[in-house]
Amino acid sequence: MKRYVCLLFGACSLWLGSAGAQECSEATLPALGSKVTMFAWSDKYVYQPGESLALRWTVKTNGDEYPYTVVAFRQNNQTGARTYLPGGTAEATDIFGNSMATGFQATALQSGEKQPLLGEGGLLGGAATIPDELGMHTITVQLRDCSGTRVLKTAYMKIGVVDEFVEVSGNIESNRTWVSTKAYRVSGVVFVRNNAVLTIEPGTFVIGQPGSQPPSALIVTRSGRINAAGTRSRPIVMTSSQPFGQRRRGDWGGLVMLGRAPVNTGANIGTAQNPAGEFNIEGLPASEDTRFGGTDVNHNCGTLAYVRVEYAGSILSPNNELNSFTWGGCGKQTVAHHLQAIFGLDDAFEWFGGTNDARYLVGGLNADDFVDYQLGWTGRLQYGIFYQSPDDRGNRGVEGDNSEFNASATPLSKPVMYNLTFIGSGQAGFDEANSPGLYLRRGAGAEIYNTLVTNFASAGVLLDGAATTAQVDANNIKMDGILLWNNFRSTQAENTVQAQVHSSAANLATGQSPNGRNFVSVDPMLRRPFDYSDPDFRGAFGSRIFSPRWVSPPDDGFFDQTASFIGGMGETNWTE
């Protein structure tokens, strides 16, 4: 007999029933793990002790009838201590309050949207009180196997508990540390300069203020440095101050890092006006604080690790806006990994020259491009997941330029990129109707390997202009292992290699050029790439992304040579 759990105000819950749909055994577990999609969220990010915490949950079973043991807890990420809900105990319990000793209760899930977990009518009871435990906490909901021993699916919500909100304006001109026991509200443009180092502790929330003039942004100048080294359990979150439900793309500026590595401005290099190939970063008035470029290929702009930038990209003037993450002339000692740019009004990640590398990037639901580079960027990039939706359209996957001022300027833009996944919205771009997946123009070079491009309204690959197509013959454009599927959605093109690329890239894609190899057009069979709130970009069983034909990255000290699959994710969901 199926037993339903009823809410406090009397209506029966949509989510849960007893384990009557299937017998609880390993044999009943779905072959590829849980098919359930779910996400949980609180009513805001940052709390102070004594405030009330409410939590909601959306579940879609997708036909999955497996009986799960559901476990929920709050974890103090500083100490690791867990408080299990609903009882508030240190002992592990399921959501019915059963311990392992008394026996967990397996439950068949049912679909429901925006249902209360904590708060009025919540499955786990009324709103919880925020404890006097400063720092980052994680609210976790686990779907475990029917015995309760193995985690099959998890939803997370990160919150900060702080004792103070610190207002930040003006410039940072001496070493400063932002700590996770406080939240930092940035007003206007804040420059880190005068040899100052800004250290941001793991688990810290940095909050942009919409409406400030100029828009709030954090700029690390050539004479400053940033050390923002978050961790997997305590990422650094840079976000909008607006309440949940009212946050918008472009609420604030974003994060900019400027350095002294070479750039190709294409204008007046070697003259008194531009002695070392320098330039001013776009989006900000020209000044010494916005200059970048130079001759130091190893210049260290700082460290970014486990950092999330949300709702950035303020427009300062028409066609003059900031990106979520911007590097200008940053050198090889700059560190960038495990970064997420989501809901930005401009590009997710943009490089203006420089030599710095990056890996493990996630860009989602931004209004412009995902990977944008120009002015001579020669860095390396591995592991990236980038996705649009029909409701939150973007433009291009890669937009690569050499220089808009001089297509033959040196150093040539020529990054080397492996293991990227680009997923378009299937519609015309946000503000550029011609929105290919891989778009190179203005004489840009690139080496792109083991990359998946799907669901773009325009071509999967487009090389724009004679200066760009000439780079193929000059061995400055190379592509090997490019999987194309369901691109040119605007014309419903066939899924053949030649039909998936623009005519400018036909020789490259069809093997007529030795610099183009292993282009295929086949369904990548990703698990849930279009479930935008809880996507899964891994390949299903039998997916061609795991074919043995793909090239292995070089063993050069940066690239992971074991990643001989197509796209940004193999068997491991590193975005978790």
Side-chain angles (χ1 to χ4, degrees):
M1 180 179 68
K2 184 171 285 188
R3 179 179 67 81
Y4 291 94
V5 178
C6 291
L7 301 181
L8 295 180
F9 51 78
C12 284
S13 167
L14 296 175
W15 312 325
L16 306 172
S18 66
Q22 289 192 13
E23 182 182 351
C24 181
S25 70
E26 184 73 19
T28 62
L29 180 67
L32 292 175
S34 175
K35 294 189 292 183
V36 173
T37 61
M38 66 174 182
F39 52 101
W41 67 99
S42 59
D43 47 3
K44 58 181 181 178
Y45 273 140
V46 182
Y47 295 81
Q48 293 188 284
E51 290 190 292
S52 295
L53 169 69
L55 196 69
R56 288 185 177 272
W57 190 29
T58 285
V59 175
K60 300 176 184 178
T61 64
N62 300 312
D64 188 336
E65 296 184 345
Y66 181 77
Y68 294 96
T69 300
V70 185
V71 173
F73 56 87
R74 173 185 57 81
Q75 179 165 319
N76 181 322
N77 293 122
Q78 288 62 231
T79 66
R82 295 181 177 184
T83 301
Y84 286 85
L85 304 169
T89 62
E91 181 184 13
T93 65
D94 64 22
I95 59 171
F96 303 111
N98 302 310
S99 67
M100 182 168 286
T102 61
F104 289 141
Q105 179 178 332
T107 302
L109 298 178
Q110 297 191 14
S111 296
E113 294 190 4
K114 300 181 180 179
Q115 301 293 321
L117 272 179
L118 285 173
E120 184 178 355
L123 175 67
L124 303 177
T129 300
I130 296 293
D132 190 6
E133 301 174 15
L134 302 182
M136 181 168 277
H137 295 241
T138 305
I139 313 300
T140 301
V141 181
Q142 295 177 337
L143 302 185
R144 291 176 167 262
D145 65 17
C146 53
S147 69
T149 56
R150 184 156 58 106
V151 177
L152 303 174
K153 177 80 178 178
T154 308
Y156 305 96
M157 177 67 198
K158 299 286 185 181
I159 62 170
V161 180
V162 304
D163 59 8
E164 183 184 6
F165 288 86
V166 178
E167 306 298 328
V168 180
S169 60
N171 299 318
I172 297 174
E173 298 187 327
S174 60
N175 292 351
R176 193 174 301 180
T177 298
W178 291 355
V179 297
S180 63
T181 59
K182 304 180 188 303
Y184 297 84
R185 293 172 172 151
V186 177
S187 296
V189 177
V190 174
F191 292 101
V192 181
R193 63 184 190 178
N194 194 38
N195 297 315
V197 177
L198 173 61
T199 299
I200 305 179
E201 284 188 350
T204 301
F205 285 86
V206 178
I207 303 169
Q209 305 293 308
S212 68
Q213 290 300 324
S216 57
L218 183 60
I219 316 295
V220 182
T221 72
R222 295 190 298 181
S223 64
R225 196 163 75 247
I226 190 171
N227 180 23
T231 66
R232 185 174 184 269
S233 64
R234 292 193 291 161
I236 294 165
V237 180
M238 301 184 177
T239 188
S240 164
S241 66
Q242 295 298 94
F244 284 16
Q246 299 178 36
R247 299 175 298 173
R248 298 290 182 268
R249 301 193 287 198
D251 272 351
W252 70 293
L255 176 60
V256 178
M257 302 172 66
L258 304 177
R260 299 182 182 276
V263 303
N264 85 37
T265 63
N268 300 320
I269 295 178
T271 68
Q273 294 83 10
N274 192 1
E278 299 180 354
F279 209 62
N280 288 93
I281 200 68
E282 71 175 20
L284 293 168
S287 73
E288 180 57 32
D289 287 331
T290 65
R291 298 283 286 178
F292 67 95
T295 59
D296 184 359
V297 295
N298 293 313
H299 181 86
N300 184 2
C301 289
T303 295
L304 300 179
Y306 293 97
V307 177
R308 185 164 82 237
V309 174
E310 305 176 337
Y311 301 98
S314 285
I315 298 176
L316 284 85
S317 61
N319 298 314
N320 196 19
E321 57 275 313
L322 295 175
N323 308 293
S324 298
F325 291 87
T326 302
W327 295 274
C330 290
K332 283 293 182 186
Q333 292 184 16
T334 305
V335 175
H337 66 86
H338 290 94
L339 308 179
Q340 182 179 19
I342 190 166
F343 285 115
L345 188 59
D346 200 53
D347 301 320
F349 305 95
E350 182 159 12
W351 286 264
F352 293 88
T355 60
N356 69 298
D357 306 323
R359 58 169 64 189
Y360 296 109
L361 305 185
V362 178
L365 311 175
N366 295 276
D368 199 7
D369 311 315
F370 291 126
V371 175
D372 193 325
Y373 66 88
Q374 56 182 298
L375 302 185
W377 180 46
T378 58
R380 298 167 292 184
L381 174 60
Q382 186 178 25
Y383 294 131
I385 299 289
F386 310 99
Y387 62 99
Q388 305 171 355
S389 83
D391 294 327
D392 296 292
R393 291 175 294 139
N395 289 325
R396 294 153 181 164
V398 169
E399 182 180 275
D401 294 328
N402 188 40
S403 171
E404 64 184 284
F405 308 103
N406 177 3
S408 61
T410 58
L412 175 73
S413 293
K414 190 182 175 183
V416 180
M417 298 182 275
Y418 277 81
N419 299 104
L420 309 178
T421 293
F422 295 98
I423 298 176
S425 68
Q427 300 181 4
F430 175 75
D431 57 9
E432 293 175 308
N434 180 26
S435 297
L438 305 180
Y439 181 60
L440 307 184
R441 65 181 180 181
R442 296 170 176 165
E447 294 187 23
I448 304 176
Y449 303 99
N450 295 0
T451 289
L452 165 61
V453 181
T454 184
N455 207 48
F456 282 84
S458 302
V461 183
L462 193 160
L463 309 181
D464 190 349
T468 307
T469 56
Q471 299 294 0
V472 177
D473 294 334
N475 297 321
N476 290 322
I477 293 178
K478 298 179 181 180
M479 297 187 188
D480 190 341
I482 308 296
L483 193 157
L484 306 167
W485 184 252
N486 277 354
N487 298 295
F488 267 130
R489 292 294 301 278
S490 59
T491 60
Q492 299 297 310
E494 295 181 356
N495 276 304
T496 64
V497 168
Q498 190 152 0
Q500 289 284 295
V501 302
H502 187 268
S503 58
S504 61
N507 287 348
L508 194 69
T510 58
Q512 298 178 58
S513 165
N515 289 322
R517 299 181 65 249
N518 287 319
F519 279 69
V520 298
S521 183
V522 62
D523 186 348
M525 296 172 58
L526 302 185
R527 296 190 188 189
R528 288 193 315 275
F530 303 117
D531 197 324
Y532 301 106
S533 295
D534 183 18
D536 190 338
F537 300 105
R538 294 173 296 170
F541 181 78
S543 169
R544 290 279 294 277
I545 71 170
F546 299 114
S547 170
R549 69 188 295 177
W550 314 124
V551 62
S552 293
D555 184 12
D556 64 353
F558 171 78
F559 287 110
D560 175 7
Q561 196 173 34
T562 68
S564 56
F565 50 82
I566 283 280
M569 188 177 294
E571 297 284 2
T572 302
N573 181 5
W574 52 263
T575 67
E576 190 173 11

